[in-house]
Amino acid sequence: MNELIRYINEPKMKARTYFLFFMMMVSTGCVETIVMDPDEENLPVVVSCILEQGQSKLTLNLQYVKGKSMDEYIPVEDAKVYIKELKGFERTVDFKHSEGSVWVTRPDPFFSILPQMSYALYIEIPGREMIMAETTVPSNRVIPEVVKKWSD
């Protein structure tokens, strides 16, 4: 046993041991397979929705990412999409599919995007995990000194 320890502690053997250990780590390391052309059931989803203060009619784009062999993006047409206030009255407003990848809400006199209010967007596509995003709208305060410096 002592001879083995002495043999491993030799400079050449240390280098070989480290090299073998490194190669073993590289060959069994974290590897993520990237599929360039997934089938239609596994296409990733892209959501785009911009909230602006005072807005009562919201627009959202919802589509699948196109695969390598596809010419166009595929719009998501079968889903349940809604936005919910997270503070205050906790109102929920549903999106309806309009055309292509566009989803819209009807104007609601009791719902508008307010500063310093938090909102959550929920998207439920059959056969997939729910997609959820949360944001807080910043306040509309403007610092006069900064605006003045920019205008000079």
Side-chain angles (χ1 to χ4, degrees):
M1 184 71 166
N2 288 336
E3 290 178 23
L4 179 63
I5 293 172
R6 234 179 300 145
Y7 181 70
I8 291 175
N9 284 333
E10 290 180 16
K12 280 185 180 181
M13 204 49 207
K14 271 188 179 179
R16 287 182 189 155
T17 305
Y18 288 132
F19 178 75
L20 288 173
F21 180 73
F22 174 74
M23 291 306 292
M24 190 171 61
M25 292 300 289
V26 168
S27 64
T28 61
C30 298
V31 176
E32 182 179 342
T33 304
I34 298 174
V35 179
M36 296 299 289
D37 203 9
D39 57 3
E40 284 192 26
E41 293 178 6
N42 297 320
L43 289 174
V45 176
V46 176
V47 181
S48 172
C49 182
I50 298 174
L51 304 181
E52 294 182 21
Q53 285 183 22
Q55 200 177 19
S56 63
K57 182 180 179 181
L58 305 176
T59 303
L60 172 133
N61 286 311
L62 182 61
Q63 58 194 3
Y64 295 105
V65 173
K66 67 178 185 172
K68 181 179 142 189
S69 66
M70 298 175 188
D71 292 333
E72 297 181 11
Y73 291 94
I74 302 170
V76 176
E77 297 174 347
D78 182 25
K80 181 178 180 185
V81 182
Y82 55 98
I83 190 166
K84 181 178 180 180
E85 292 178 348
L86 297 180
K87 299 176 185 173
F89 296 110
E90 296 187 8
R91 292 184 192 98
T92 299
V93 177
D94 291 329
F95 283 83
K96 301 292 181 204
H97 183 249
S98 176
E99 61 178 291
S101 63
V102 179
W103 292 68
V104 295
T105 61
R106 290 195 315 252
D108 183 343
F110 301 106
F111 179 85
S112 68
I113 302 300
L114 301 173
Q116 298 181 334
M117 184 67 95
S118 295
Y119 299 91
L121 177 68
Y122 298 92
I123 300 169
E124 299 174 13
I125 300 172
R128 293 178 174 245
E129 288 185 36
M130 178 189 288
I131 299 170
M132 191 268 228
E134 191 176 308
T135 190
T136 300
V137 178
S139 67
N140 56 356
R141 295 182 188 164
V142 177
I143 303 172
E145 294 172 16
V146 174
V147 174
K148 185 178 177 186
K149 287 180 183 177
W150 284 341
S151 62
D152 290 340

